[in-house]
Amino acid sequence: MSVRVRRVYEPPEPDDGVRVLVDRLWPRGLSKDAAHVDEWPKALTPSTELRRWYHAGEGSYEEFADRYEAELDAPEAGELLSYVRELTAKGPVTLLTASKDPEQSHAAVLLRLLGPDAR
């Protein structure tokens, strides 16, 4: 199982495997052809309210991560998380985000939740 996080603006690489966009909004200025996105599970992304709260600087990353994990307990999000886990069992998966700091984003939370081999 191989999972990693990359910025969606970076060009695709041969070892990306299945490219999964994990942002609720489509990245600005990027065409769908250029993004090479295979999956876009919007219900797996943080809610609009949580995203706005975090970007407003109202809380720490740790609190954001806790709130996001709680959102992932919802049935639809949980099903999508299981689906992405299934994808990782079949081959490499790259989580794509437009976040300027992927290590302090929801993509890092997903990476951690998807297993020990995630990088």
Side-chain angles (χ1 to χ4, degrees):
M1 172 166 74
S2 173
V3 184
R4 67 179 177 171
V5 173
R6 296 185 63 218
R7 292 199 71 224
V8 69
Y9 297 107
E10 296 172 4
E13 294 182 356
D15 61 344
D16 281 350
V18 178
R19 292 171 53 91
V20 181
L21 180 62
V22 294
D23 291 347
R24 186 165 298 263
L25 304 175
W26 188 262
R28 289 185 183 181
L30 187 65
S31 72
K32 293 191 180 194
D33 288 339
H36 298 278
V37 169
D38 299 308
E39 301 280 345
W40 188 15
K42 292 181 190 176
L44 186 62
T45 66
S47 67
T48 299
E49 296 79 16
L50 180 58
R51 183 176 48 80
R52 287 180 179 160
W53 172 84
Y54 184 54
H55 291 298
E58 296 180 18
S60 67
Y61 173 72
E62 291 75 20
E63 187 176 356
F64 165 77
D66 289 344
R67 289 182 180 196
Y68 179 42
E69 283 189 49
E71 288 187 353
L72 291 172
D73 287 337
E76 187 177 6
E79 287 176 22
L80 287 170
L81 188 59
S82 293
Y83 173 69
V84 175
R85 276 193 186 104
E86 290 172 15
L87 291 176
T88 66
K90 296 175 185 176
V93 171
T94 300
L95 305 177
L96 301 170
T97 182
S99 175
K100 291 179 184 174
D101 185 5
E103 293 178 7
Q104 294 284 303
S105 74
H106 63 288
V109 174
L110 289 172
L111 185 68
R112 180 173 45 79
L113 293 175
L114 286 170
D117 293 335
R119 56 179 171 91

